[in-house]
Amino acid sequence: MKIRLDHVVKTFDTFRAVRDVSLDIESGELVALLGPSGSGKTTILRMVAGLEYADGGHIYFGDHDATGIPVRDRGVGFVFQHYALFPHMTVAENIAFGMKVSKVKREKTAIAARVVDLLRLVRLEGLGNRFPAQISGGQRQRVALARALSVDPKVLLLDEPFGALDANVRHDLRRWLREIHRELGITTIFVTHDQEEALDLADRVVILKDGQIVQQGTPEEVCRNPQSAFVMKFLGDANMLQAQVRDGRAYASGAAIEVGGMADGKAELYARPADLDWSAHGPGIAASIDRILDRPDSRRVLATTENGEHLEFDVEPERPVRANERGFVTLRRARVFAV
Amino acid sequence: MRRNVLPGLRLSLGVTLLYVGLIVVLPLAALVFKAASLGPEDYWRIVSSSRALASYRVTVLCALGATLFNLFFGLGLAWVLTRYRFPGWRLVDAMVDLPFALPTAVAGIALTALFTTNGWFGSVLADLGIKVAYTPLGIMIAMCFTSLPFIVRTVQPVLEDLDPALEEAAQSLGGSDWTIFRTIILPLLTPAILAGLSLSFARSLGEFGAIIFIAGNQPMSTEITALLVFIRLEEYDYQAAAAISSVLLFTAFLMLALTNWMQSRALRYTVRN
């Protein structure tokens, strides 16, 4: 099912949660809505579900205007952040709920058979008789997914699907969700504030800030070509240096890089920790090392430039750098945004 | 034994057990002891006398009626107080506790004044042919009044803590409002409702002050058991008073045990593994 948001607006009291968002989602696509808290990502998801109504604009499912259709008739599967499993029903009863209350009457045996199928799909065979309080967080999340899929939704919506889980479980579930999506081919939108999760899982990432889309594209597009300082910072660690653009070059603390076509003036230079390196001799940005954080696969160096700007970068594990050492930070690549 | 963060288990346990012993167990034991000092035949004669039986009937039936009424009205009130905010909300919320705060005799006199045939309500109802004061209906109204807060105050916090996402999830799965109330909200409220019902019923069984003014206290028709006990005390027939009291005590116990059992059944799902 194709989904189209057309100039959607939502205001809570005086807070403008979503301002004029337009978005096209192709049938079968897996899309991440990524943004910090308050960026309106959950509100957008809830409007697509019909749990909130848009104040302005339209939401189309296929060619059909779904803006005013209530959630119970919209045919979406929604997985809530804290799963919202019915605590007084067993896992099997939770999954069967949607089929039991459906207007389409089903035979009891047909429902039971479908529950078994869904339990197998989410790899929870044999746990049908447990209550939600008796299973782990990761298992609950899979029950929630099975329950959402039980009504054959046209669209699957997940609100922070892995937010409440341990890092390990999260990693496994991410891979597993990707597999399920490939298997079922159902149009899926999920909300997250975790850029790694969005980049790992989604076909397309939609980055939101203050209720507006600031950039969207494949993980490759948004990573390789962030179009604003916000996206650069939000997608991962970034160092910022004050810079001055003159004649197509940006100068910052003794380093300079080509910035074709930028107008002269003040600018900010951003570089990922992996884009910086350390050398004992110039040229580069004169700095001294404050501290070293050792990590399994690299060493993170915290340094301060002569201008008092703080930088963080990674060097390979064998590199014998020490705190209080003086030297130069070299710039492998960077992006410059006008202020 | 598991060690707690705060010490003082022995002291606090000792003090509370002593208190429970002195204030709760000792008087009840004395009551049972007094009743037991009658022979089985005398005991049976007293507790099964036609006047006593009539008082049980009117007390239990009125208490059941009042509890049932409070179930619906209290649930509705709890629902309105948790789901909506309206001007005067705070006042209504505070008024729910009024029957707790008011001396029950004051309530009884006020209700009697309202419901006698020349009172504000009573005169209107009398025109319709309904007599409230000095009938079992009056007893029921007095019981309703004094036991109303129980259901509201046990259900309200549970309703407030109910995750709205549960209802949204049920909606997204296609459930109608009535289905959601019946299959999600009501089962989750059941333990609280049972607790409220048992408290409400127990309070109604034992209520005295609010009832005696409006009941008329006619033996065999509007005489409640608590009043019969009081009458026996006035006659210095302590054994008979204790015997009849023991029936009330036993009924209250039985009912609490029953609701506890039902509650634990309703809460089975919270048991881990």
Side-chain angles (χ1 to χ4, degrees):
Chain A
M1 174 70 58
K2 233 176 107 141
I3 301 170
R4 189 154 69 83
L5 278 72
D6 183 24
H7 298 288
V8 171
V9 175
K10 177 74 187 178
T11 309
F12 293 114
D13 292 329
T14 56
F15 175 64
R16 296 184 64 191
V18 175
R19 323 170 170 211
D20 198 26
V21 164
S22 296
L23 181 63
D24 279 283
I25 293 164
E26 293 303 319
S27 192
E29 213 178 358
L30 178 51
V31 172
L33 300 180
L34 174 66
S37 57
S39 60
K41 55 192 191 304
T42 297
T43 308
I44 294 175
L45 194 77
R46 290 173 60 86
M47 283 193 288
V48 172
L51 291 167
E52 278 334 321
Y53 291 106
D55 297 332
H58 294 273
I59 296 169
Y60 297 94
F61 280 27
D63 298 323
H64 193 70
D65 187 349
T67 319
I69 298 176
V71 57
R72 60 171 61 99
D73 301 321
R74 213 175 269 205
V76 298
F78 200 102
V79 176
F80 290 81
Q81 187 172 5
H82 300 288
Y83 323 131
L85 296 180
F86 309 131
H88 59 298
M89 295 186 192
T90 61
V91 166
E93 286 168 342
N94 263 284
I95 298 174
F97 182 86
M99 293 182 274
K100 275 185 194 154
V101 303
S102 162
K103 284 174 193 130
V104 187
K105 287 282 162 267
R106 291 179 174 84
E107 290 289 321
K108 267 205 168 127
T109 48
I111 293 178
R114 177 102 169 101
V115 168
V116 171
D117 283 347
L118 284 163
L119 281 172
R120 191 176 312 127
L121 178 76
V122 299
R123 298 198 210 129
L124 290 174
E125 296 104 321
L127 291 184
N129 290 324
R130 300 278 191 89
F131 284 107
Q134 297 169 330
I135 58 178
S136 73
Q139 290 170 331
R140 269 177 230 165
Q141 135 79 243
R142 285 184 275 160
V143 174
L145 186 67
R147 186 177 69 176
L149 291 171
S150 70
V151 289
D152 298 314
K154 294 171 276 188
V155 181
L156 183 61
L157 306 168
L158 305 103
D159 187 6
E160 300 271 2
F162 311 112
L165 299 170
D166 302 345
N168 289 337
V169 181
R170 204 187 285 205
H171 198 261
D172 292 348
L173 275 179
R174 233 184 255 167
R175 173 173 294 180
W176 168 83
L177 183 63
R178 186 75 230 187
E179 278 168 28
I180 295 234
H181 178 258
R182 201 179 51 211
E183 207 170 309
L184 302 175
I186 180 171
T187 310
T188 304
I189 309 176
F190 73 99
V191 154
T192 181
H193 63 265
D194 180 345
Q195 76 287 351
E196 194 188 305
E197 197 164 287
L199 297 172
D200 278 12
L201 196 53
D203 296 323
R204 187 146 59 96
V205 179
V206 177
I207 301 167
L208 292 144
K209 185 195 174 203
D210 299 332
Q212 282 173 316
I213 296 175
V214 289
Q215 191 173 351
Q216 55 173 306
T218 62
E220 189 186 357
E221 283 164 3
V222 295
C223 284
R224 296 292 80 85
N225 192 18
Q227 281 162 10
S228 63
F230 171 79
V231 173
M232 181 83 192
K233 280 187 285 189
F234 193 67
L235 286 181
D237 291 346
N239 293 291
M240 194 269 279
L241 290 168
Q242 296 295 343
Q244 199 73 38
V245 177
R246 245 180 289 117
D247 308 325
R249 284 173 76 80
Y251 298 89
S253 306
I257 65 162
E258 299 286 339
V259 282
M262 257 185 88
D264 289 1
K266 275 176 97 89
E268 285 175 348
L269 182 150
Y270 287 89
R272 301 274 178 220
D275 295 341
L276 300 180
D277 203 354
W278 179 253
S279 71
H281 315 288
I285 306 163
S288 68
I289 296 177
D290 301 322
R291 212 158 106 75
I292 301 194
L293 313 178
D294 277 297
R295 290 176 175 176
D297 48 7
S298 66
R299 310 187 79 189
R300 166 71 50 107
V301 180
L302 311 187
T304 308
T305 67
E306 283 179 339
N307 295 349
E309 289 171 310
H310 296 286
L311 296 175
E312 290 190 20
F313 54 93
D314 296 330
V315 296
E316 52 280 23
E318 303 78 28
R319 189 80 76 85
V321 285
R322 271 191 308 277
N324 300 324
E325 199 175 306
R326 296 188 144 276
F328 297 87
V329 176
T330 53
L331 214 53
R332 223 176 272 144
R333 66 177 86 75
R335 301 198 70 87
V336 180
F337 299 102
V339 182
Chain B
M1 189 183 288
R2 205 169 65 84
R3 270 194 67 80
N4 282 314
V5 178
L6 293 175
L9 172 73
R10 278 178 208 192
L11 181 67
S12 55
L13 188 69
V15 169
T16 43
L17 281 187
L18 182 71
Y19 180 81
V20 168
L22 284 178
I23 301 294
V24 180
V25 178
L26 195 65
L28 292 184
L31 173 72
V32 173
F33 184 74
K34 197 78 186 171
S37 68
L38 287 162
E41 275 161 37
D42 283 337
Y43 179 82
W44 185 249
R45 186 176 48 74
I46 291 166
V47 300
S48 67
S49 70
S50 56
R51 189 170 171 190
L53 286 178
S55 82
Y56 304 150
R57 216 190 61 200
V58 72
T59 309
V60 170
L61 287 181
C62 287
L64 278 177
T67 305
L68 199 66
F69 176 82
N70 277 347
L71 169 64
F72 290 101
F73 185 65
L75 206 55
L77 196 53
W79 183 270
V80 168
L81 285 175
T82 42
R83 295 293 165 118
Y84 309 105
R85 287 293 177 270
F86 47 86
W89 178 90
R90 208 173 278 279
L91 187 71
V92 175
D93 190 58
M95 283 217 300
V96 171
D97 288 326
L98 211 57
F100 277 164
L102 208 62
T104 52
V106 175
I109 291 165
L111 288 173
T112 311
L114 274 180
F115 282 104
T116 49
T117 40
N118 49 14
W120 288 352
F121 295 170
S123 57
V124 176
L125 289 168
D127 291 342
L128 299 170
I130 302 167
K131 209 168 163 307
V132 177
Y134 317 126
T135 69
L137 192 58
I139 299 176
M140 208 146 46
I141 285 172
M143 286 175 171
C144 281
F145 180 86
T146 52
S147 64
L148 168 71
F150 287 108
I151 305 255
V152 180
R153 291 299 183 226
T154 49
V155 170
Q156 202 177 358
V158 181
L159 204 52
E160 252 159 28
D161 285 346
L162 218 57
D163 184 359
L166 290 179
E167 285 161 57
E168 290 179 346
Q171 276 183 4
S172 76
L173 292 165
S176 66
D177 289 342
W178 170 241
T179 306
I180 294 171
F181 182 76
R182 193 171 46 83
T183 59
I184 311 290
I185 298 174
L186 208 53
L188 291 174
L189 291 183
T190 300
I193 291 175
L194 284 172
L197 283 180
S198 76
L199 289 171
S200 170
F201 185 70
R203 171 73 192 256
S204 296
L205 275 188
E207 182 52 43
F208 181 77
I211 296 173
I212 50 166
F213 294 98
I214 201 171
N217 307 325
Q218 290 299 311
M220 308 305 289
S221 69
T222 59
E223 184 179 60
I224 57 166
T225 310
L227 181 68
L228 190 58
V229 172
F230 183 70
I231 290 169
R232 291 289 173 260
L233 282 176
E234 295 263 85
E235 294 164 352
Y236 302 107
D237 189 353
Y238 297 131
Q239 286 179 318
I244 298 168
S245 301
S246 70
V247 175
L248 275 185
L249 181 68
F250 181 68
T251 315
F253 254 129
L254 200 69
M255 209 249 335
L256 284 175
L258 187 73
T259 46
N260 264 335
W261 175 74
M262 284 162 71
Q263 244 183 318
S264 65
R265 271 183 59 88
L267 279 169
R268 261 178 318 175
Y269 64 84
T270 56
V271 179
R272 290 174 171 270
N273 299 314

